[in-house]
């Protein structure tokens, strides 16, 4: 797709790779953030794609915002990006101010720190190698989190774990991240992308209407009182029945006829243990 972002597909799965390892350990500048944002919008628009995997090249997920780029802008050595050139909803790390209609899984090797941690927290799930490193490393240079880190990290792991990371700036290994709930799948080093793609294929095999409806209800319930959240869940569920009644009837009939039983998908495919 560009020199900085690689866009590939594997069936219904998009694999989006930040490719700046040699230059900046996959740190994100404003232009690269725009490219990443556009890649994810491309994934969202493509009806043949159901799940995306976001990863980084060279054994590093993302080292955060590119402070060397920021320093060059401030010194006048490099040109900044005009506000008119930035797509609506795009922020310094790219997509962290938007909510996609489809799930994104982070495949994490090496460092996911500062803005890279925020980018990982923006994803729906995180698959990480045991020796991956997470942390609010920007604490060391007096840079605040500005891409949802204080919000999403806290919602994922709870306030105690989040403040431990935010206040101390310490590094957290993949093993500890799994224990606190930041990581959902743990792999041996070098296997995170393979595991994430397998997980994405597993999710993509389900009927997508109901899956996306339940995902959206889960995301939207945070700002709603409990009964309002339940009402919203019902509203979203009814929209699935109304927009694709044939698929709904086929699903019910399939259940009656024995499809989807005993760990199999409705088409007979064996579900993995992911």
């Amino acid at each position: 797709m560009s020199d900085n972002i690689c866009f590939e597909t594997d069936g219904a799965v998009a694999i989006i790779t930040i490719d700046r390892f040699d230059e900046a350990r996959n740190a994100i500048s404003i232009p690269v953030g725009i490219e990443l944002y556009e890649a994810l919008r491309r994934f969202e628009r493509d009806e043949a794609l159901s799940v995306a995997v976001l990863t980084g090249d060279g054994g590093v997920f993302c080292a955060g915002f590119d402070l060397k780029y920021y320093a060059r802008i401030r010194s006048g050595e490099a040109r900044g990006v005009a506000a008119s050139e930035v797509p609506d909803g795009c922020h310094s790390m790219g997509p962290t101010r938007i909510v996609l209609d489809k799930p994104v899984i982070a495949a994490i090797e090496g460092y996911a720190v500062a803005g890279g941690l925020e980018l990982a927290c923006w994803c729906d799930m995180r698959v990480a190698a045991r020796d991956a490193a997470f942390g609010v490393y920007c604490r060391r240079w007096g840079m605040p989190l500005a891409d949802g880190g204080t919000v999403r990290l806290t919602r994922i792991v709870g306030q105690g774990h989040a403040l431990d990371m935010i206040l101390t700036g310490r590094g957290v290994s993949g093993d500890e991240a799994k224990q606190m709930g930041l990581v959902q799948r743990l792999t041996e080093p070098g296997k995170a992308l393979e595991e994430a793609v397998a997980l994405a294929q597993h999710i993509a095999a389900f009927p997508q209407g109901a899956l996306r409806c339940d995902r959206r209800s889960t995301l939207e319930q945070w700002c709603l009182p409990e009964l309002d959240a339940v009402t919203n869940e019902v509203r979203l569920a009814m929209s699935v029945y109304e927009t694709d009644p044939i698929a709904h009837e086929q699903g019910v009939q399939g259940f009656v006829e024995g499809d989807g039983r005993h760990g199999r998908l409705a088409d007979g495919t064996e579900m993995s243990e992911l």
Side-chain angles (χ1 to χ4, degrees):
M1 182 173 180
S2 71
D3 292 335
N4 300 300
I5 303 296
C6 178
F7 190 106
E8 303 171 285
T9 60
D10 182 355
V13 174
I15 303 169
I16 300 172
T17 306
I18 306 167
D19 190 6
R20 299 191 76 215
F21 175 78
D22 292 334
E23 181 180 355
R25 293 298 187 268
N26 298 329
I28 302 291
S29 64
I30 296 295
V32 175
I34 293 173
E35 293 174 16
L36 178 58
Y37 172 94
E38 296 291 1
L40 286 156
R41 285 299 198 192
R42 172 183 170 185
F43 154 69
E44 184 176 44
R45 290 191 301 267
D46 193 331
E47 295 182 0
L49 299 173
S50 298
V51 185
V53 173
L54 177 61
T55 192
D57 184 49
V60 170
F61 180 71
C62 176
F65 185 67
D66 189 343
L67 293 181
K68 291 182 179 179
Y69 161 84
Y70 181 63
R72 291 196 300 271
I73 296 298
R74 291 187 55 89
S75 68
E77 295 178 22
R79 173 186 173 274
V81 177
S84 60
E85 300 176 80
V86 180
D88 290 341
C90 183
H91 198 52
S92 54
M93 292 299 297
T96 54
R97 298 287 180 89
I98 61 171
V99 178
L100 298 183
D101 291 329
K102 304 175 185 178
V104 180
I105 300 170
I108 301 166
E109 300 277 353
Y111 291 102
V113 297
L117 172 63
E118 294 181 288
L119 194 57
C121 287
W122 173 81
C123 296
D124 293 84
M125 299 176 68
R126 284 148 295 281
V127 176
R130 293 186 181 277
D131 61 353
F134 301 85
V136 186
Y137 284 14
C138 50
R139 185 60 60 245
R140 305 173 184 182
W141 300 284
M143 303 295 291
L145 296 170
D147 280 84
T150 62
V151 178
R152 295 189 179 104
L153 178 62
T154 303
R155 291 181 175 184
I156 292 167
V157 303
Q159 184 166 303
H161 287 309
L163 285 176
D164 181 5
M165 296 180 69
I166 290 167
L167 297 179
T168 68
R170 71 182 181 89
V172 170
S173 70
D175 284 301
E176 185 178 356
K178 178 67 164 61
Q179 291 172 6
M180 67 171 63
L182 178 57
V183 166
Q184 284 66 59
R185 301 287 191 279
L186 203 60
T187 75
E188 295 305 315
K191 298 293 185 180
L193 180 58
E194 178 184 338
E195 181 83 1
V197 170
L199 177 59
Q201 298 283 13
H202 174 89
I203 294 170
F206 289 113
Q208 292 298 297
L211 184 146
R212 292 174 193 170
C213 158
D214 289 348
R215 173 182 177 269
R216 179 163 290 277
S217 178
T218 301
L219 297 176
E220 292 179 352
Q221 59 86 24
W222 282 103
C223 62
L224 299 172
E226 182 176 349
L227 291 181
D228 290 347
V230 173
T231 299
N232 187 54
E233 178 188 72
V234 173
R235 178 186 64 80
L236 290 166
M238 292 305 298
S239 72
V240 175
Y241 302 144
E242 293 166 359
T243 56
D244 197 354
I246 295 177
H248 170 59
E249 292 298 329
Q250 289 175 337
V252 172
Q253 187 60 35
F255 173 82
V256 171
E257 296 174 358
D259 293 340
R261 307 281 183 89
H262 309 297
R264 294 175 180 268
L265 297 177
D267 64 2
T269 303
E270 291 281 357
M271 290 175 61
S272 69
E273 294 301 321
L274 292 171

